[in-house]
Amino acid sequence: MRRRKEMKYYTSDLHFCHANIIKYEDRPFNSANEMDDYLIYKWNNRVKKNDEVFVLGDFAFCDGNKANELLDKLNGKKYLITGNHDSFLKDKIFNKSKFEWIRDYAKINDDGNKVIMFHYPIAVWDCQHHGSIHLYGHVHSNKDNHHPLLLELGDNAINVGVDVNDYEPKTLKELINS
């Protein structure tokens, strides 16, 4: 039997434990616990033990201990691009080794594609003129209301937030084809 190839996945703005995000984004949940359980289910339904998941910020709205518990429940090797709501990182109880690395910005290669990751959408990124792909979060489901410049980013800039990606991590190929 052939072994499954390890996959790379991308996601952002999960906002675990954040009850108000349900109202702000009109998420279909009755409580933060219900939302958290669903996000964990969707993640683990896709991600296997040796897969890599790049979280582009706003992972959880909680203390370090709860963030540790959440990360223990999620499959895969996890990497974090910091977001503006990742205050659990300042909690001394938080175990930073739960992530393979934590960075503000990162460049990786995914199946021959240069991928530039940042929590915020940016207008210009490394090798943009050579076809590199910029993945971002922060804006949730907002297309143009508060962030009209999103309309000018072009096809190689992709929102990886859960609010526009069926509440689950997606592969680069899925993001490009959506």
Side-chain angles (χ1 to χ4, degrees):
M1 188 166 139
R2 257 178 49 178
R3 201 176 125 186
R4 178 182 167 272
K5 176 186 169 198
E6 284 85 18
M7 305 291 289
K8 285 184 173 113
Y9 293 97
Y10 305 89
T11 191
S12 180
D13 299 286
L14 294 110
H15 283 258
F16 280 110
C17 309
H18 190 187
N20 283 336
I21 201 68
I22 296 167
K23 175 178 56 179
Y24 299 151
E25 283 300 313
D26 196 26
R27 290 185 178 182
F29 308 106
N30 295 313
S31 68
N33 285 336
E34 180 185 340
M35 176 182 70
D36 293 354
D37 289 345
Y38 188 71
L39 290 169
I40 291 166
Y41 165 77
K42 291 288 279 190
W43 178 303
N44 288 337
N45 194 46
R46 303 211 77 206
V47 178
K48 304 307 175 216
K49 179 184 172 191
N50 291 317
D51 291 339
E52 296 178 301
V53 183
F54 296 88
V55 179
L56 277 64
D58 292 1
F59 173 72
F61 209 73
C62 61
D63 65 22
N65 192 52
K66 182 65 177 176
N68 290 334
E69 290 174 18
L70 288 163
L71 287 161
D72 285 341
K73 293 178 182 179
L74 296 169
N75 292 340
K77 299 172 189 169
K78 296 162 280 290
Y79 302 80
L80 180 66
I81 302 294
T82 55
N84 56 308
H85 290 296
D86 289 321
S87 58
F88 65 90
L89 292 169
K90 296 175 185 162
D91 190 334
K92 291 181 191 253
I93 294 172
F94 178 65
N95 180 357
K96 291 183 178 173
S97 72
K98 301 278 181 190
F99 287 105
E100 301 292 317
W101 50 247
I102 299 169
R103 299 179 183 165
D104 292 329
Y105 169 94
K107 296 186 282 186
I108 65 165
N109 184 295
D110 186 340
D111 199 28
N113 295 291
K114 183 178 240 184
V115 178
I116 311 302
M117 297 178 287
F118 193 53
H119 178 62
Y120 305 97
I122 50 180
V124 179
W125 59 88
D126 187 32
C127 291
Q128 177 180 14
H129 57 291
H130 292 294
S132 66
I133 298 167
H134 168 44
L135 301 181
Y136 62 89
H138 184 67
V139 297
H140 294 271
S141 60
N142 188 284
K143 299 258 188 279
D144 57 6
N145 210 14
H146 299 307
H147 308 286
L149 294 178
L150 288 176
L151 300 174
E152 299 176 25
L153 289 180
D155 293 338
N156 280 5
I158 303 170
N159 180 355
V160 300
V162 296
D163 295 297
V164 295
N165 287 295
D166 198 29
Y167 301 101
E168 65 186 9
K170 298 287 188 182
T171 66
L172 185 60
K173 184 176 183 178
E174 289 171 327
L175 292 164
I176 290 170
N177 292 328
S178 66

